[in-house]
Amino acid sequence: MSRRKKIYEGKAKILYEGPEKGTLVAHFKDDATAFNNEKKGTLEGKGVLNNRISEYLMSHLAKIGIPTHFIKRLNMREQLIRQVEIIPLEVICRNIAAGSICKRLGLEEGAALPRPIVEFCLKNDDLGDPVVSEEHVAAFGWAGPQEMEDMVSMTLRVNDFLSGMFAAVNIRLVDFKLEFGRHYEGDMVRTILADEISPDSCRLWDLRDGKKLDKDRFRRDLGGVVDAYAEVARRLGIMKESPALKIIPNGKSA
Ligand code: UDP
């Protein structure tokens, strides 16, 4: 495994060359970072859970016609994905005010937003991923007009679908972040959903008591981070019994 060519190493994932041209293997690590890398930690079992949760959510989105980079899960920590050229934007969708929008616009955490709000941030760690307008995106050519239209419409469909899926298991989808990529097929290029969808990239609150079931537990030192992710997996029916989940640190067996 270690002889595979590493293409990229990010904060929570490593990408290796895939078995066929145009494919990559995404390896989900247990590392966690927050506040633009100022806070770092290792959460044993997080990678296993995010691999499974992201597989589950991406597979369901594919079934409703959202094109994604996900091909199949290979083992506990790895999935086979389509190679794409990542569009350098983070697309954030918010239903409830939380996180950075509260500071930016003086909103109270938990306030319902008038309608789902889609925001774009430039993927640039040195600048702290600043919010940018569609005017900036167009002027600097980070994404084309059709790509912007595709990203917004897919994001709103993902929001409708996942809000319903989570509500059915008593979880509120507060907000989430998506990344998209350009997938080249011969002369054709299309925009597809990439990266991951997991409690690292979503805010998920228990509908009954408001308990946070996402990365805010790490950001705010609330403890029980992996237990909360396992609870999300368990409610979605992915992991049958969360506490007994057998996690092999950095293990690769399925
Ligand atoms: N998010 C993410 N990666 C980032 C920034 C945000 O996955 O680099 C997710 C975050 O987990 C939340 C949503 O996007 O679900 C909105 O995040 P926000 O802008 O409020 O920033 P934060 O408070 O996380 O810094």
Side-chain angles (χ1 to χ4, degrees):
M1 289 292 205
S2 55
R3 275 181 276 114
R4 289 177 306 183
K5 188 171 166 206
K6 194 191 278 189
I7 304 285
Y8 171 82
E9 177 151 8
K11 290 166 234 168
K13 289 191 292 296
I14 306 173
L15 298 181
Y16 295 101
E17 205 170 61
E20 283 157 42
K21 197 170 174 289
T23 65
L24 296 175
V25 172
H27 176 104
F28 286 69
K29 299 191 285 184
D30 285 343
D31 296 344
T33 62
F35 310 122
N36 207 16
N37 275 328
E38 274 171 41
K39 185 179 169 108
K40 288 190 168 108
T42 302
L43 303 163
E44 200 169 294
K46 176 178 81 82
V48 173
L49 286 158
N50 282 355
N51 187 25
R52 294 294 292 265
I53 294 170
S54 198
E55 169 196 16
Y56 183 86
L57 300 178
M58 291 269 189
S59 305
H60 277 79
L61 289 169
K63 282 187 196 147
I64 60 152
I66 306 277
T68 86
H69 74 163
F70 179 81
I71 302 173
K72 64 172 179 179
R73 186 168 62 83
L74 298 171
N75 55 51
M76 292 279 272
R77 286 183 184 273
E78 295 182 333
Q79 51 182 245
L80 186 66
I81 58 173
R82 294 180 180 89
Q83 184 162 27
V84 296
E85 180 184 290
I86 288 286
I87 294 173
L89 297 170
E90 299 194 334
V91 184
I92 290 172
C93 182
R94 304 176 184 276
N95 298 305
I96 306 281
S100 66
I101 198 173
C102 294
K103 275 196 210 139
R104 218 178 327 125
L105 302 183
L107 302 173
E108 199 162 323
E109 182 173 85
L113 297 170
R115 60 179 171 85
I117 297 176
V118 176
E119 295 175 342
F120 297 93
C121 296
L122 180 65
K123 267 172 73 69
N124 184 322
D125 284 343
D126 294 339
L127 300 176
D129 298 340
V131 176
V132 292
S133 69
E134 294 196 38
E135 182 66 8
H136 293 120
V137 175
F140 291 107
W142 294 318
Q146 186 62 52
E147 288 175 331
M148 289 295 279
E149 206 181 302
D150 291 347
M151 288 193 289
V152 172
S153 66
M154 280 193 262
T155 299
L156 292 172
R157 287 189 66 209
V158 169
N159 186 43
D160 278 348
F161 182 77
L162 293 188
S163 292
M165 173 180 269
F166 280 118
V169 295
N170 281 315
I171 292 174
R172 173 169 285 152
L173 179 61
V174 172
D175 58 30
F176 59 94
K177 183 260 311 183
L178 300 178
E179 294 188 25
F180 293 88
R182 301 180 180 110
H183 185 236
Y184 294 90
E185 294 162 300
D187 294 343
M188 298 279 287
V189 53
R190 64 172 184 160
T191 311
I192 70 173
L193 185 58
D195 195 49
E196 69 180 90
I197 311 178
S198 72
D200 269 5
S201 58
C202 301
R203 282 197 174 89
L204 303 168
W205 295 352
D206 190 304
L207 261 172
R208 292 160 298 193
D209 60 12
K211 185 181 171 190
K212 295 183 196 306
L213 301 170
D214 56 59
K215 194 169 156 186
D216 272 348
R217 301 202 73 81
F218 171 73
R219 293 189 188 98
R220 301 183 189 185
D221 292 322
L222 298 176
V225 188
V226 175
D227 283 349
Y229 286 32
E231 173 68 15
V232 172
R234 193 191 57 74
R235 287 202 203 175
L236 291 172
I238 305 170
M239 302 282 194
K240 292 292 173 255
E241 69 289 354
S242 58
L245 170 68
K246 285 212 170 49
I247 293 156
I248 307 153
N250 292 307
K252 301 207 172 65
S253 56

